[in-house]
Amino acid sequence: MKIGKKLKTARNTAGYTQEEISEIIQVSRQTISNWENEKSYPDIVSVIRLSDLYHISLDELLKGEPELVKHLDDSTNTVKSNKKLLLAVGINVILLFLFVLLNGIIADNQYLMVGTVVVSIISTAALFYQIIRKL
């Protein structure tokens, strides 16, 4: 059974509305709806709260749900997250060093200048993306 169906069945069995659940675990009613319709997945804290509230074991909620397990792994794996952030920082530092070192060559060639700007924008966007995900 899919996680959304499990959550909806458990909520109905427990006799709660989406609004009541949203107030109890402090998320919006739309968030509850999105979880039940599998448009998004709950974070680990919400999964634990739902498990307690519905009196369902975490094992029962998570077994057979590879998408949710992957989501929880991605959102809680700080080592993987830190590696991605450090990689983004390292690439930006290397690119900055190369741009300074090769400034004379880049400035003389219009195509290299455009390529440099594009690479700079992409690498900076990747860095900001990793920083925002970290927050």
Side-chain angles (χ1 to χ4, degrees), residues 46-56 58 61:
S46 296
V47 170
I48 292 169
R49 287 179 180 165
L50 291 169
S51 170
D52 289 343
L53 190 61
Y54 297 152
H55 304 291
I56 298 176
L58 287 172
L61 270 177

Side-chain angles (χ1 to χ4, degrees), residues 42-129:
D43 60 21
I44 188 65
V45 174
S46 296
V47 170
I48 292 169
R49 287 179 180 165
L50 291 169
S51 170
D52 289 343
L53 190 61
Y54 297 152
H55 304 291
I56 298 176
S57 70
L58 287 172
D59 189 47
E60 188 177 340
L61 270 177
L62 300 177
K63 270 205 173 170
E65 298 297 331
E67 298 90 11
L68 177 60
V69 172
K70 182 182 179 333
H71 166 75
L72 293 174
D73 181 46
D74 290 345
S75 64
T76 59
N77 191 337
T78 56
V79 172
K80 188 189 312 182
S81 175
N82 287 343
K83 283 182 181 179
K84 288 179 182 178
L85 180 59
L86 288 174
L87 179 64
V89 169
I91 288 171
N92 274 279
V93 168
I94 290 168
L95 286 174
L96 179 63
F97 178 73
L98 286 173
F99 294 155
V100 169
L101 187 65
L102 302 173
N103 186 32
I105 297 170
I106 293 171
D108 294 339
N109 188 320
Q110 181 180 2
Y111 296 110
L112 281 177
M113 184 66 78
V114 171
T116 301
V117 169
V118 169
V119 169
S120 298
I121 290 170
I122 291 171
S123 66
T124 303
L127 176 60
F128 285 151
Y129 175 76

Side-chain angles (χ1 to χ4, degrees), residues 31-50:
T31 299
I32 301 297
S33 176
N34 286 340
W35 293 344
E36 290 181 359
N37 292 314
E38 296 185 21
K39 292 181 182 174
S40 64
Y41 296 107
D43 60 21
I44 188 65
V45 174
S46 296
V47 170
I48 292 169
R49 287 179 180 165
L50 291 169

